Structures are given as C-alpha cells and as structure tokens.
Amino acid sequence: MKEQMREQFKKLFGKTEGIRSFFAPGRVNLIGEHTDYNGGHVFPCALTFGTYALAALRTDKTIQMYSMNFPDVGVISISLDEPVSFMEEHDWANYPKGVLKEFLDRGIEFGNGFDVLYYGDIPNGAGLSSSASIELATSVMLQGLFETSFSKVELVKMSQHAENEFIGVSCGIMDQFAIGMGKENHAILLDCQSLQYKYSPIILKDASLVIANTNKRRALADSKYNERRSECERALKDLQNELDIQSLGELTPEQFEHHRHLIVNEIDQKRAKHAVYENARTILAVEKLQQGDIESFGQLMCDSHTSLRDDYEVTGFELDTLVEAALNQQGVIGSRMTGAGFGGCTVSIVENEKIDQFIEEVGKAYKEKTGLTADFYVANVGDGAREII
C-alpha cells in the first residue's frame, strides 16, 4: 500500500523527496461502553489497521490534503495566512483541520505549509473510530514535521478537543486515548476521569477477538450519542442535589441503587444505571482476564450488551441480530456491540478452531434476518500512533 501511496503522492503533488510516513490505528473497545464521558473506566485496544499519512513540507504557506478514501472530494487546499474554520464542503478534511487549529491555538507557528495524502483501511462508518484515527495520524504528523514537543497524552487531548469543538461531536476521550497510547498485544484499562491507565496483556489462550461489521451505516450515532450524554448529565445533576460527586463513574452499583430515586426522569435513571453498572463490570472484567478466567470475561461482555440494549438503548436490530447469532455458535466465549451503537460492529471472543465456522454461520444467519452482508476481521492488537519508516 505504501508504494501505491507514494505513486499517488507523486501524481498529485509532484514530489518524490522529503516524504515522511505516519500511522494511527483504529481501535476496538472490549468492554466499558458509554462510560468514558461519564467518568468511568474503559478497556480498549489499538488494532493493526488504521490511517496512513504521507506528508512533505512545502516552501509556501499552502496546505494541500487528499484522501484516497474520498477521491470525489478532490484536493482540499487551505492557506496558513487565513483562519482555520469548519467548512461543510471540506467534508473529511475538517478532522485534520480541527487538529491543525489545536496546534495553532497553542502558539505553534508553522513557517511552511505541507502536502499530505491520507489512506485508511478502517471500514468507514463501522464504529472502529476512523475519525479519531485520522486525528491522531494528523497529530503525530504535525509533531514530526514541525518538531513540536507535546507528550502523547497531550496529543490525545488535543485530538479529542478538536472533535468536540471543531467537529461538534461530544465524544469522550477513549477513542483518541486508545489510538494514541495503544500497545501491541495489550488493552488499556483507562480511568476516564483521572486519565490514570494501565496496560493489561490480552491472553485469550486458544481463542481470538473477532470483529463483525454490520455494514449498517451509523446515521443516528452522532445525534443519539449527544442525546445520551445529555440524559446522563441530567441524571448526574439530580444526584448532586444530595451527593458530592463529579461523575456517575464515582458510584458503585450499591450506592446507585440507594440513591436512584433522586433521578426524576425514568429514562435518565435507566441511562445512569447503565453507566454505573458498566463501569463496575469493566473493572471486574479486567480482573477476570488477568486471572486467566476468559469465560467470566466473556459473560461480562454479554452482560454489557444486554445493558446497552435494554438500559442505554443504543444497539438496534442489526447489532442485536449479530450478537444473538454469535451466541448461538459453538466456541463463542462472549459477544457484544462495540462503539457508539446504532450500527457499527460487534466484538466476540471465539475459540480459534471454530473461527471459520463462526464466520460462515453468523454471516448466514445475519444475512437471512437483515438482508445485509456482514464483514468479519480477526483482530490483531497493535501499537499506537507513530511515525513509520
């Protein structure tokens, strides 16, 4: 792919020298969904596929951006002499523009513009975080090209802020953190309130992670995501009338049950219940994984999906169909939706000798019920965003 990208770079920008390569992975969250913006714990890992960026400095103040994934949009050209602003017609390029603005807002002076070519092999709209991947690819690229000295965690925060403020999606920090800080063959237990984190080896014995893409575009995800966030914020506000807490993630399930009557709205109460119980599930699941108890980890994944379906109501027909089909197969240890929901992907733990059968049978059952064809990926867990040689 790198050679094809170099050929395309030469064709578009007329350069063969001074080109540097950067990469940021996609991510999958094993458990801990919709807990990140509620101050809870998440347990994601970086994948080996993601977003590649080839870039070279220019001698003027022009920035030219092109994505091989969106050829119809063409080359997006902006000038460093003008303010960086969101423009609908710039489509995907608003994500790197948002990150660029983060650097500028911190006083970084770009003496030159640059040309950059992107290519991503994350399935678009699958919920494996292609947006955060392009943000971190841009962050490490700008850091590399202009020799800035931000820590990786600062780049993560800047990328999240770009999505919140420039793009307008109220995402938590999980996606950017997993993509920036990923480590090969490890997942990250992250406390989203304090940003304390620890790496945990993914040791699944004779099993593997299998991602299944519903191939239903997540048209509702952003609007419903912001709606769920508002519901949780209202629930927290109600609880704060009596409790000295800053987030739902500070409560144990027992504390929540004792005080849930404070939450006036019944829907808000269900959303808060998911956030609290899912946080507890995530902490317990990591303990079970570290003890080598894969079966208990898998059961907690299933419990997570049930809560996301019934209390948080973010799954939908396609995701529920995939999980149900997965759990009907031999050799499946656990399965759940992953990501924002309303389409996107599931993640399952499947015994290695049953993977081929799993893909065939689940794909067949899913097609019969939905009319859609699912795509399957046996996940390899890789390192975070970086320059590649």
Side-chain angles (χ1 to χ4, degrees):
M1 194 62 228
K2 203 169 169 185
E3 285 312 307
Q4 284 174 266
M5 288 185 74
R6 283 188 171 274
E7 282 299 311
Q8 184 75 341
F9 196 96
K10 181 183 175 184
K11 190 172 152 189
L12 286 167
F13 306 124
K15 288 180 189 162
T16 54
E17 300 297 317
I19 303 168
R20 292 168 69 177
S21 305
F22 304 87
F23 174 77
R27 68 94 188 94
V28 66
N29 190 27
L30 303 182
I31 192 166
E33 214 66 73
H34 289 277
T35 49
D36 59 343
Y37 54 83
N38 285 308
H41 290 75
V42 291
F43 193 54
C45 56
L47 299 168
T48 49
F49 51 76
T51 304
Y52 298 84
L54 261 58
L57 289 170
R58 296 173 60 91
T59 54
D60 57 15
K61 290 292 189 82
T62 300
I63 295 171
Q64 294 193 110
M65 298 179 277
Y66 181 86
S67 170
M68 292 171 68
N69 299 88
F70 301 98
D72 294 349
V73 179
V75 175
I76 302 294
S77 187
I78 63 172
S79 171
L80 284 168
D81 290 328
E82 296 168 10
V84 179
S85 59
F86 184 95
M87 296 174 73
E88 199 75 48
E89 63 270 27
H90 284 178
D91 197 69
W92 66 271
N94 284 303
Y95 290 94
K97 281 171 63 182
V99 173
L100 178 70
K101 188 173 187 302
E102 291 292 317
F103 277 74
L104 292 168
D105 287 351
R106 282 160 180 76
I108 301 300
E109 292 183 12
F110 296 109
N112 307 80
F114 54 89
D115 298 319
V116 57
L117 170 71
Y118 293 98
Y119 170 73
D121 55 6
I122 302 171
N124 192 35
L128 300 176
S129 220
S130 54
S131 59
S133 182
I134 196 170
E135 288 157 6
L136 263 302
T138 305
S139 293
V140 293
M141 175 195 74
L142 292 174
Q143 175 114 301
L145 289 181
F146 297 100
E147 299 179 355
T148 59
S149 55
F150 297 108
S151 70
K152 192 65 77 70
V153 172
E154 284 175 302
L155 293 179
V156 162
K157 288 178 180 177
M158 288 157 68
S159 296
Q160 182 209 7
H161 194 256
E163 186 143 350
N164 290 168
E165 300 301 322
F166 198 82
I167 304 297
V169 176
S170 303
C171 65
I173 201 162
M174 174 185 70
D175 293 352
Q176 289 83 3
F177 201 96
I179 287 166
M181 304 294 288
K183 183 178 177 182
E184 188 177 8
N185 296 326
H186 288 71
I188 308 169
L189 179 64
L190 170 67
D191 179 335
C192 296
Q193 181 120 316
S194 66
L195 292 192
Q196 289 186 315
Y197 66 97
K198 61 180 178 182
Y199 292 105
S200 181
I202 302 177
I203 301 169
L204 300 178
K205 299 175 184 171
D206 299 320
S208 297
L209 297 171
V210 181
I211 297 168
N213 183 1
T214 61
N215 280 317
K216 177 178 187 286
R217 291 304 303 275
R218 296 163 53 246
L220 282 173
D222 288 352
S223 61
K224 291 291 185 182
Y225 187 102
N226 290 344
E227 185 182 291
R228 292 296 178 274
R229 187 160 187 163
S230 297
E231 290 163 346
C232 288
E233 284 167 357
R234 280 201 306 264
L236 176 63
K237 206 168 181 183
D238 287 348
L239 290 165
Q240 286 171 331
N241 287 325
E242 285 191 19
L243 298 175
D244 182 21
I245 56 171
Q246 301 306 309
S247 73
L248 294 173
E250 293 175 45
L251 295 177
T252 64
E254 294 74 24
Q255 289 169 325
F256 173 77
E257 293 299 340
H258 190 66
H259 293 96
R260 68 185 295 167
H261 65 277
L262 297 170
I263 303 170
V264 177
N265 183 298
E266 198 177 316
I267 296 291
D268 296 351
Q269 204 175 104
K270 285 173 69 177
R271 307 304 189 236
K273 180 190 173 190
H274 167 75
V276 171
Y277 277 73
E278 180 79 349
N279 184 44
R281 254 192 302 275
T282 302
I283 295 165
L284 180 60
V286 176
E287 287 174 14
K288 295 297 181 186
L289 184 63
Q290 290 173 338
Q291 291 163 8
D293 186 353
I294 311 302
E295 287 69 27
S296 292
F297 185 89
Q299 183 56 54
L300 288 161
M301 288 174 71
C302 296
D303 295 345
S304 169
H305 185 84
T306 301
S307 178
L308 287 157
R309 182 190 68 205
D310 298 345
D311 286 330
Y312 223 65
E313 298 181 272
V314 290
T315 57
F317 178 62
E318 292 80 8
L319 285 166
D320 290 339
T321 300
L322 265 185
V323 168
E324 190 181 313
L327 296 176
N328 283 334
Q329 300 304 310
Q330 288 185 331
V332 174
I333 297 164
S335 186
R336 62 183 287 275
M337 66 150 268
T338 183
F342 302 103
C345 290
T346 64
V347 59
S348 305
I349 301 176
V350 185
E351 291 173 4
N352 291 332
E353 60 183 30
K354 304 285 188 185
I355 287 175
D356 290 345
Q357 183 183 332
F358 171 88
I359 290 171
E360 185 181 340
E361 294 296 329
V362 173
K364 185 178 164 190
Y366 180 70
K367 181 79 181 275
E368 282 172 3
K369 277 191 89 169
T370 67
L372 296 170
T373 301
D375 290 322
F376 295 87
Y377 312 88
V378 179
N380 293 307
V381 179
D383 287 322
R386 60 201 184 273
E387 183 166 5
I388 50 177
I389 308 302

